[in-house]
Amino acid sequence: MRILLVNMPWTSIDVPSLALGILTNSVRQKLPDAEVEVLHANLDFVDWVVDRTEFGLSDYYYYSLFTYFAGCGDWVFSSALYDDPQWRVEEFTSRVRDQMTERELALNLELHRIAPEFVAELAARIVERAPDVVGFTSTFQQNAAALATAKAIKRLAPGIHTVMGGANCDGEQGAAIHRNFAFIDYVVRGEGETAFPRLLAALDAERATPAADPSGATGLADALAGIEGLCWPGPGGRHVANKMSTTPLPPAEIVAPDYSGYFERLAGSRARHWVEPRLVVEGARGCWWGEKHHCTFCGLNGSFMQFRSKHPGRFYEEIIGLAERHQVLDMFVVDNILDMSYVTSLLPRLAESGYDLRLQYEIKSNMKSAQVQALADAGLVSVQPGIENLNSRVLKLMDKGVTGCLNIRMLRDAETSGITIAWNYLYGFPGETDDDYLSVVEQMPALHHLCPADGSTRIAIERFSPFFVKPELGFTDLRPAAQYRLIYDLPESELMDLAYLFDVPPQGIDEETADRLERAVTEWQHEYARSRLSHHDLGDQIVLVSRRRHFDWHVLRLTDPVEVAAFRQLDQPHTVAALARRLSSPEPAVAVLLRRWRELGIVFEDAGQFIQIAPKAMNQDLLRIDHLHQEREAARQAAAAQEPAVLTAV
């Protein structure tokens, strides 16, 4: 049996497909006689389109990373899906004209016009390979390209079995795909490591059944009916959707991926000049926080929230094995949240491995400084901690389980450890107020030395999120996001099942406050590279060095024992009352001190708590500045003894 797994645009070109890498090994383990191969059609598309348009790396990233919420990538291939190079061009142009540059719009229209040609050529090449089964993975903006190619394959070779799976096929989405696109024979919903090999085994058994055997068709139907989550054509072509599995795949059964074909294909692609390849690894599925407190806006994890993680020893061997096999040290870990037991098990082994690994990981933002440093020591260079907001009231509306000060602590400690933070400032939650944002905007100039948000954006309603399934949380009158009507020729009821994103009347702050937030975040982004605030604890004093546009002081020395003790205590969030108790000082005096420190931009205040925002100085610059300060101070005192009017500024 020959199986061809296809990775369509617009998935990233600098990483292999984890889903297809896992399925490749799953099929080989369970069907050792099967031939399975991965076709990297995303790389094929790069080579094809560069010959026909002025297309570069930034253009691919534009579709792959930045247009998901506008649906531009899927719209490009809608022309191939519906065999019409002019498919809803006027509607698309009208919708996006004010959101794009002239070049971006022209490129969208040109790619949309020529996409049918690429799909036709790709389908012909696939059919030439004579596979028995062609499987498409679909995540983010791969849907229209995968559907269009499957349609072209069936037109050329009706006997080839077409299968789709992936995040876009979870739950009702997968059932809607199977109902509405007859050229997709099977849809695998949920985790595919078990279901897909079972489907292949059933098809292989049916293929081997003599045509004269009348039990063959019945045997296939019985086999298909027993595969959880599978959508398949029943008697008379009737759409059948088996019940989804209620038991998540145990971590011991989550196999390591096979990426061998990706690197060979990349080496022969023009994309090899564009990107440095990275590996994708997986240690866990689900979310241990979401099992208890599902963040209200989050639609990740789909039908399986239950958290499962691989044994740290096994995951270590997978990471090191992939690094050695492919000679690649940059890795993206797809886990939605770090298994906290890895901090004391997996991470120390990675730190001691001798490999200069560079990992990206998703974590929870309430990790303490020692834990953040453990991440850095293990090779983590970038983390996505789900900060989302810096106001405790809004974070509570999200059910995030953190405070604004704890999120600031994460930004500060990551700066100390040299870890880059990826985060977005989200707004638009029912119950939020203008002051929840303006109180933070007022303090953002003090934060310019910390990693800024990638942007600020009103939340989108995602399938599987509490906001989607619980209208009592404040969002009603959900409609499929507008881009789906430009991509698909389906009734509203079917789009409701197919869509992952939904439009709703806006909630929370108005556009005026949102604009103020956006301007403040944009300024933060511009100032970050040239801003600095750090501190060095010299024992009897603390020296702070600042280079921030909105503050005119550069060196601040805390020498008073109470101030030194207060600053150290504010490594963690404290209220005025709690800090006063710690210092055995009067509350009014502590309140005055904290107000002064806020004016100087060395503390952040939220929900009655304060936290110091100066990362530790991790190099010798501060020591040199301190030595220079002492020399200048001595010179100043000497000069003052001779000419009392002379002042020396530091």
Side-chain angles (χ1 to χ4, degrees):
M1 188 177 202
R2 303 184 65 185
I3 302 105
L4 186 63
L5 304 176
V6 185
N7 192 28
M8 294 296 295
W10 295 95
T11 189
S12 296
I13 56 176
D14 58 344
V15 294
S17 168
L18 175 67
L20 298 188
I22 288 175
L23 287 182
T24 296
N25 267 343
S26 297
V27 172
R28 287 175 178 164
Q29 289 178 10
K30 295 174 182 177
L31 286 82
D33 294 332
E35 298 178 26
V36 57
E37 182 184 0
V38 174
L39 178 65
H40 304 280
N42 55 337
L43 295 173
D44 292 343
F45 182 72
V46 167
D47 294 338
W48 186 89
V49 76
V50 165
D51 287 336
R52 291 162 175 80
T53 65
E54 296 294 327
F55 190 90
L57 174 61
S58 61
D59 297 313
Y60 196 93
Y61 279 159
Y62 170 76
Y63 292 99
S64 178
L65 300 177
F66 303 124
T67 69
Y68 175 60
F69 291 96
C72 296
D74 269 323
W75 184 77
V76 162
F77 284 95
S78 65
S79 58
L81 176 59
Y82 291 104
D83 301 311
D84 182 0
Q86 295 301 311
W87 178 258
R88 294 181 177 169
V89 167
E90 291 185 9
E91 297 94 325
F92 177 82
T93 302
S94 175
R95 178 170 181 262
V96 304
R97 185 183 297 278
D98 296 335
Q99 305 168 27
M100 294 182 178
T101 65
E102 289 186 10
R103 182 187 181 280
E104 288 170 346
L105 179 56
L107 182 61
N108 268 274
L109 297 177
E110 177 65 7
L111 294 178
H112 183 264
R113 184 185 66 81
I114 65 176
E117 182 184 348
F118 170 75
V119 167
E121 292 182 14
L122 177 64
R125 287 196 291 115
I126 290 174
V127 170
E128 285 178 4
R129 297 190 184 198
D132 298 294
V133 176
V134 177
F136 295 90
T137 182
S138 182
T139 302
F140 296 122
Q141 295 194 84
Q142 290 182 289
N143 235 32
L147 289 170
T149 306
K151 181 179 180 180
I153 289 170
K154 291 298 267 188
R155 182 185 294 137
L156 294 173
I160 294 177
H161 298 287
T162 53
V163 188
M164 275 187 70
N168 287 335
C169 297
D170 204 359
E172 286 301 321
Q173 293 174 277
I177 287 173
H178 194 257
R179 280 197 308 269
N180 289 285
F181 301 102
F183 45 82
I184 298 293
D185 296 316
Y186 305 98
V187 173
V188 176
R189 301 183 296 164
E191 297 171 301
E193 289 95 330
T194 299
F196 186 59
R198 287 185 63 188
L199 168 63
L200 296 178
L203 294 176
D204 195 34
E206 190 266 346
R207 185 172 64 100
T209 300
D213 186 348
S215 65
T218 302
L220 176 62
D222 290 343
L224 298 178
I227 302 175
E228 290 182 309
L230 183 70
C231 296
W232 53 285
R238 178 176 57 89
H239 161 72
V240 179
N242 297 345
K243 289 184 178 180
M244 297 281 293
S245 173
T246 58
T247 304
L249 193 69
E253 296 183 22
I254 302 174
V255 303
D258 182 331
Y259 292 146
S260 55
Y262 166 77
F263 290 93
E264 286 83 347
R265 179 63 188 90
L266 179 64
S269 169
R270 296 191 183 190
R272 72 185 182 278
H273 302 300
W274 291 0
V275 298
E276 287 292 334
R278 298 177 297 159
L279 293 168
V280 186
V281 294
E282 179 184 39
R285 292 182 184 175
C287 179
W288 52 260
W289 175 255
E291 284 188 87
K292 303 173 183 178
H293 299 274
H294 191 170
C295 297
T296 53
F297 64 93
C298 179
L300 298 178
N301 298 295
S303 52
F304 283 127
M305 181 65 73
Q306 296 96 320
F307 185 73
R308 303 142 279 157
S309 63
K310 295 176 181 176
H311 185 279
R314 179 189 163 200
F315 192 30
Y316 172 85
E317 295 298 333
E318 287 184 13
I319 291 173
I320 299 302
L322 286 167
E324 290 178 342
R325 179 178 182 183
H326 300 295
Q327 297 294 291
V328 173
L329 296 173
D330 290 286
M331 297 189 183
F332 180 76
V333 187
V334 298
D335 305 2
N336 288 149
I337 194 168
L338 172 70
D339 182 340
M340 292 303 295
S341 72
Y342 283 177
V343 175
T344 55
S345 56
L346 173 68
L347 298 187
R349 289 194 66 186
L350 292 176
E352 297 168 0
S353 69
Y355 288 90
D356 184 21
L357 295 171
R358 295 180 292 274
L359 303 173
Q360 299 179 56
Y361 224 121
E362 292 190 33
I363 63 174
K364 201 169 189 308
S365 63
N366 61 353
M367 295 183 72
K368 296 181 179 179
S369 59
Q371 295 170 322
V372 174
Q373 187 58 47
L375 300 179
D377 293 341
L380 272 77
V381 296
S382 177
V383 297
Q384 185 174 331
I387 288 176
E388 264 81 70
N389 205 287
L390 298 178
N391 178 271
S392 293
R393 278 197 71 254
V394 180
L395 290 165
K396 188 173 183 179
L397 293 174
M398 299 182 192
D399 208 0
K400 290 292 293 184
V402 295
T403 65
C405 283
L406 289 179
N407 280 342
I408 289 292
R409 185 183 70 180
M410 169 56 68
L411 291 172
R412 182 199 69 197
D413 292 345
E415 200 74 28
T416 295
S417 298
I419 296 177
T420 299
I421 299 287
W423 66 292
N424 285 298
Y425 210 113
L426 302 183
Y427 62 90
F429 297 89
E432 67 186 17
T433 67
D434 289 346
D435 188 60
D436 296 331
Y437 293 86
L438 299 181
S439 61
V440 176
V441 166
E442 180 185 357
Q443 299 182 78
M444 279 189 182
L447 306 176
H448 285 172
H449 61 292
L450 302 178
C451 192
D454 293 327
S456 63
T457 184
R458 189 174 293 277
I459 60 168
I461 306 304
E462 301 177 350
R463 183 178 296 279
F464 306 115
S465 71
F467 279 147
F468 176 76
V469 299
K470 297 180 179 179
E472 63 270 21
L473 294 178
F475 288 102
T476 57
D477 191 25
L478 276 70
R479 297 191 64 198
Q483 64 260 31
Y484 295 108
R485 298 179 193 87
L486 302 178
I487 299 165
Y488 301 104
D489 187 20
L490 295 174
E492 191 82 355
S493 59
E494 292 298 324
L495 289 178
M496 277 297 294
D497 286 344
L498 180 70
Y500 181 77
L501 300 172
F502 297 86
D503 290 336
V504 292
Q507 297 271 11
I509 59 174
D510 59 23
E511 290 307 312
E512 181 180 353
T513 301
D515 288 343
R516 290 188 61 178
L517 174 65
E518 175 66 22
R519 290 195 298 271
V521 169
T522 299
E523 183 189 29
W524 188 351
Q525 294 169 341
H526 291 162
E527 292 294 324
Y528 173 60
R530 57 190 176 194
S531 298
R532 176 185 178 191
L533 175 66
S534 58
H535 84 273
H536 192 79
D537 194 328
L538 300 175
D540 62 339
Q541 61 181 291
I542 292 173
V543 181
L544 295 105
V545 176
S546 173
R547 292 290 186 275
R548 293 168 296 170
R549 186 165 65 88
H550 292 273
F551 297 89
D552 58 6
W553 64 271
H554 299 307
V555 177
L556 178 66
R557 306 171 71 88
L558 305 181
T559 57
D560 181 272
V562 173
E563 292 190 357
V564 170
F567 188 87
R568 289 173 179 155
Q569 288 293 326
L570 289 176
D571 188 64
Q572 307 299 323
H574 282 78
T575 63
V576 172
L579 185 59
R581 287 195 300 270
R582 291 274 189 173
L583 301 175
S584 299
S585 298
E587 283 190 34
V590 171
V592 170
L593 175 65
L594 292 177
R595 281 199 301 271
R596 180 166 67 87
W597 281 0
R598 175 170 165 169
E599 291 171 358
L600 292 170
I602 62 176
V603 298
F604 176 82
E605 178 184 3
D606 174 65
Q609 291 188 319
F610 293 81
I611 190 168
Q612 67 88 358
I613 60 175
K616 294 179 182 178
M618 300 304 291
N619 53 47
Q620 296 302 309
D621 289 346
L622 187 56
L623 295 179
R624 288 196 292 269
I625 289 173
D626 182 58
H627 179 67
L628 177 62
H629 178 87
Q630 292 178 19
E631 289 183 341
R632 288 183 175 179
E633 179 63 17
R636 188 195 67 79
Q637 292 178 2
Q642 299 175 8
E643 299 182 38
V646 175
L647 296 177
T648 303
V650 177

